[in-house]
């Protein structure tokens, strides 16, 4: 135990040293290869430090998991959420000239909230259920704000994926959209906010659909790989495309390809950090959320 604490402290100090090196070496232009390698190294050091401080769990202990159920109504709701959110973003970009991003952001949250309340089949959601979702949103926001000094090193998407796995796609979309909107009060609101809300929410929605009914086991290995793929393929491509639509008066397909290629280093860092956080926090968080679902029947009666 003492050796693990000492190793964890060493890795923690090295992680802080890498953070300081990144802050002092930041430039206004594109990051250099050395800066990207240092950031990837900081992710690895943070993973080693966390693994040293976390208590080891008995492999014989296995908790039962009750996965969210996937019904035709859930699939229809997911399709409607994607369509309405995408149409709202496009409407704000084309007809409002990206100048009413607060209105567009609130409309997206309102649309997702309608789907969220429809999930309860006409009954009023209990306070404990709304508090649980609010806490997940707050954790996702904290996972972004806590690492503001490290570009693309965030735990937000990991929390969004866990919310979707435990409580379904509607809740995952709501947590992702709300986390992007609230965290931008710290990072800065703008025309990019609705795009970030849609990208993060879509990841949560896909997580709920993929892991529904327990057909795909939500182990930390599977979740880590899934989180890395979602961060690079879904979240990364949407935000890379948004930069073209927001800043280019006449976007072309070649611009979209160039934007996606130039964003690969950032997406890889975001994917690596998402996989790292899912590796360490997915099992304990899912266990705690499963206890809430079992004891209080939170978001489990569909």
């Amino acid at each position: 135990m003492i050796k693990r604490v000492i190793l964890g402290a060493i890795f923690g100090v090295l992680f802080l040293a890498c953070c300081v090196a990144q802050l002092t070496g930041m430039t206004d232009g594109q990051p250099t290869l050395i800066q990207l390698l240092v950031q990837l190294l900081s992710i690895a050091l943070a993973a080693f430090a966390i693994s040293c401080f976390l208590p080891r769990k008995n492999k014989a202990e296995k908790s039962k998991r009750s996965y969210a159920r996937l019904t035709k109504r859930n699939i229809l709701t997911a399709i409607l959420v994607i369509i309405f959110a995408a149409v709202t973003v496009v409407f704000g970009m084309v007809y409002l000239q990206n100048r009413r991003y607060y209105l567009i952001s609130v409309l997206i949250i309102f649309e997702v909230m309608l789907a969220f309340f429809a999930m309860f089949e006409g009954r009023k959601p209990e306070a404990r259920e709304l508090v649980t979702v609010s806490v997940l949103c707050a954790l996702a926001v904290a996972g972004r704000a806590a690492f503001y000094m490290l570009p693309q090193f965030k735990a937000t998407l990991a929390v969004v994926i866990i919310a979707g796995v435990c409580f379904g796609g509607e809740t995952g979309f709501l947590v992702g959209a709300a986390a992007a909107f609230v965290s931008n009060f710290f990072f800065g609101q703008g025309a990019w906010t609705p795009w970030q809300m849609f990208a993060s929410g879509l990841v949560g929605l896909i997580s709920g659909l993929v892991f529904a009914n327990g057909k795909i086991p939500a182990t930390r290995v599977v979740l880590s790989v899934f989180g890395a793929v979602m961060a690079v393929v879904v979240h990364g491509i949407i935000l890379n495309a948004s930069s073209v639509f927001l800043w280019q008066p006449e976007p072309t397909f070649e611009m979209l390809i160039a934007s996606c290629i130039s964003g690969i280093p950032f997406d890889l860092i975001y994917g690596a950090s998402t996989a790292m956080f899912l590796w360490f926090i997915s099992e304990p968080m899912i266990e705690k959320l499963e206890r809430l679902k079992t004891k209080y029947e939170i978001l489990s009666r569909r």
Side-chain angles (χ1 to χ4, degrees), residues 33-54:
L33 178 60
I34 295 178
Q35 290 174 331
L36 294 175
L37 292 176
V38 170
Q39 191 162 358
L40 290 174
L41 177 62
S42 65
I43 296 175
L45 292 172
F48 287 130
I50 295 174
S51 63
C52 290
F53 286 110
L54 286 178

Side-chain angles (χ1 to χ4, degrees), residues 143-144 147-148 150-156 187 270 273-274 277:
R144 187 182 181 192
F147 302 96
Y148 72 94
L150 298 175
Q152 306 304 117
F153 185 87
K154 303 291 182 288
T156 302
F187 288 94
Y270 196 35
S273 61
T274 301
F277 283 110

